[in-house]
Amino acid sequence: NDQDGHTLRRGRVSLAERVYRVLRDTKGALHIETLSAAQTWLGSALGLGVALSEVERAELEEQLQQAMAEAKEAVGSTHRIHVGLASMLRSSMLVRGSQDEAAEFMRTLQMDMDQDVRLLERMFGSTHLRTRCGVQESANCLRDSGDYAAQIDVLHELVDRTVRAVGVLDPETFNAKAQLATAFSGCGKPDKATQVYEELFPQQQRVLGPLDTATLDTHRMYAHALISVDPYKAEPVFRSLREATKQVGSSSAHDNGRTGATILASVQIAVPYGGVLLSLQRYQEAVELLEEEISENNRALEVLESNADDSTLLPMLKPMLAGLAPMLEAAKAALSVAESLSGAN
């Protein structure tokens, strides 16, 4: 029940705090293991959410500020631990409704990170991995603070630094470009995102292969970005994405059907792809797509219900699959109207 779950979560927080206190006493406040343990403890404590009292939240925010100061001294403001702690503190401020305080906090954090990036440049050079990681975290900070234009500028800079460091066709460069495209999509510029994807996607296909996880991620994001830019162009991209996903699914599936993960991936493609077909008035193809999706996944679902490895996905999969039926009915209705109009003419 809810009370037992709450007691269990409180117990986990208490255990995480004890681990942190032991490490702090034995290895020191600035040791990387201590800092990591602080992040784990404070993250689990904030995870209690509405169960926290105002006093408890205030105490946690004080602990976060202390942990941030120690992390900054030990590893710098651009290190993932410091950034993670800062993100927790900002989230807590927002939970208690202090948007202005959170915004000012992020502006101060950004100035600290800019200073650290300049220091890293002097110490290691502009293209060194540590400097690039600092630039990456600076971009993340700008995203979290809602300054998307500045985030995109920093990500352009990250792509340039990465190309100079490792070359155009290195996976690190691919990752930097993917982040830039995602940032464009996130701030409502899908046209700019598709320009990046149109360069990135064929490069990944050539270097990593069409079925590599990173390539498939780009394939999926490219297809989604095209929906609002050019539905006609989106359709073949979705079609090839669905085929690639089927190939991956057939190689990872159980002997008797799809896995929960492949069903999830398939439905997440079928829904927007079906929407594209409907928007293009290709109703018959939309009906065939959705009927095939429902038939294949319902058969697979019967197998998964007896498979312990996939059972955790069932609560998510069942409503998603159920949501395909209304879409299919809408496609059939549109097809029927189109056929009636065609017959009348």
Side-chain angles (χ1 to χ4, degrees), residues 47-250:
L48 294 172
V50 295
L52 289 171
S53 68
E54 291 185 12
V55 172
E56 287 175 320
R57 184 172 295 280
E59 290 175 349
L60 281 175
E61 289 190 6
E62 285 186 19
Q63 292 286 348
L64 277 166
Q65 290 171 346
Q66 176 183 319
M68 279 184 61
E70 292 168 348
K72 181 180 179 181
E73 180 181 352
V75 293
S77 64
T78 60
H79 192 277
R80 58 177 178 78
I81 291 179
H82 182 271
V83 174
L85 292 165
S87 178
M88 290 179 199
L89 181 53
R90 172 181 175 271
S91 296
S92 184
M93 291 174 178
L94 293 176
V95 166
R96 56 180 171 81
S98 301
Q99 283 81 4
D100 291 343
E101 183 183 1
E104 180 60 31
F105 168 70
M106 293 303 290
R107 283 192 289 270
T108 302
L109 176 63
Q110 186 62 49
M111 288 189 289
D112 288 344
M113 296 179 78
D114 288 344
Q115 291 177 357
D116 272 13
V117 168
R118 289 194 291 271
L119 176 61
L120 290 168
E121 285 178 327
R122 291 196 295 271
M123 293 174 63
F124 303 107
S126 63
T127 62
H128 191 276
L129 177 60
R130 289 190 63 177
T131 306
R132 300 200 313 272
C133 287
V135 174
Q136 166 71 76
E137 295 300 346
S138 178
N140 292 343
C141 178
L142 288 165
R143 176 201 62 210
D144 292 343
S145 63
D147 193 347
Y148 302 117
Q151 178 206 6
I152 287 170
D153 287 342
V154 172
L155 287 173
H156 272 298
E157 181 184 335
L158 177 63
V159 171
D160 177 67
R161 291 173 188 256
T162 309
V163 168
R164 287 189 284 123
V166 297
V168 174
L169 299 179
D170 189 273
E172 283 190 47
T173 302
F174 296 160
N175 183 53
K177 288 181 177 179
Q179 292 179 67
L180 175 60
T182 300
F184 277 129
S185 292
C187 68
K189 296 181 179 180
D191 54 330
K192 296 288 187 180
T194 58
Q195 291 175 14
V196 179
Y197 288 132
E198 284 168 358
E199 177 184 89
L200 172 61
F201 182 42
Q203 292 174 338
Q204 288 179 306
Q205 286 182 305
R206 185 166 71 253
V207 175
L208 305 176
L211 303 185
D212 181 84
T213 301
T215 307
L216 286 172
D217 285 343
T218 296
H219 200 163
R220 184 182 69 256
M221 298 298 290
Y222 179 32
H224 280 268
L226 280 170
I227 291 175
S228 59
V229 175
D230 188 346
Y232 289 95
K233 195 171 183 178
E235 191 280 323
V237 177
F238 268 111
R239 189 186 333 124
S240 62
L241 173 61
R242 189 164 186 258
E243 290 304 315
T245 304
K246 282 185 175 181
Q247 291 182 51
V248 173
S250 64

Side-chain angles (χ1 to χ4, degrees), residues 12 26 58 63 72 157 171 177 212 223 265 309 318 340 345:
R12 289 172 178 167
T26 57
Q63 292 286 348
K72 181 180 179 181
E157 181 184 335
K177 288 181 177 179
D212 181 84
D309 292 337
K318 287 184 176 180
S340 298
N345 293 331

Side-chain angles (χ1 to χ4, degrees), residues 304-321:
L304 295 180
E305 288 176 336
S306 61
N307 188 323
D309 292 337
D310 288 306
S311 60
T312 55
L313 287 174
L314 288 175
M316 181 189 304
L317 292 174
K318 287 184 176 180
M320 288 184 67
L321 292 176

Side-chain angles (χ1 to χ4, degrees), residues 318-339:
K318 287 184 176 180
M320 288 184 67
L321 292 176
L324 291 175
M327 192 173 185
L328 174 59
E329 291 307 311
K332 286 181 175 179
L335 176 61
S336 178
V337 171
E339 290 175 339

